[in-house]
């Protein structure tokens, strides 16, 4: 299983261009995806869940920066 590394700068730039609605929707999508990603990770020792958690941290930081956290 090839592990994906988060491109922090690209995700930060994307987050800065997202609306509040888009940021919240992205976080909700990640939350719905995590149980499935984690299940697959247990099967093949992947790191999908970690990738999505890293991505969500960028979105949460952006919300906090905007005073929305």
């Amino acid at each position: 299983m090839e592990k994906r590394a988060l491109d922090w700068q690209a995700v930060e730039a994307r987050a800065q261009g997202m609306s509040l609605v888009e940021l919240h929707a992205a976080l909700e999508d990640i939350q719905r995806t995590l149980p499935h990603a984690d299940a697959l990770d247990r099967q093949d020792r992947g790191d999908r869940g970690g990738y999505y958690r890293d991505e969500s941290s960028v979105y949460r930081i952006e919300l906090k920066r905007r005073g929305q956290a």
Side-chain angles (χ1 to χ4, degrees):
M1 173 76 209
E2 183 179 328
K3 294 188 179 188
R4 282 178 21 185
L6 187 74
D7 182 341
W8 292 91
Q9 290 180 328
V11 176
E12 287 171 357
R14 182 178 345 132
Q16 289 173 3
M18 294 169 78
S19 70
L20 292 176
V21 170
E22 289 170 323
L23 287 165
H24 285 290
L27 286 167
E28 289 174 13
D29 186 47
I30 288 170
Q31 289 302 313
R32 283 192 305 271
T33 302
L34 275 173
H36 307 287
D38 290 341
L40 286 170
D41 290 344
R42 285 189 291 277
Q43 289 177 5
D44 65 10
R45 304 180 65 89
D47 192 31
R48 295 168 196 86
Y51 179 91
Y52 289 122
R53 286 179 179 85
D54 287 347
E55 184 179 16
S56 71
S57 73
V58 174
Y59 297 148
R60 291 182 193 285
I61 289 168
E62 180 61 21
L63 286 170
K64 187 174 183 178
R65 186 185 72 76
R66 296 184 194 186
Q68 299 293 315

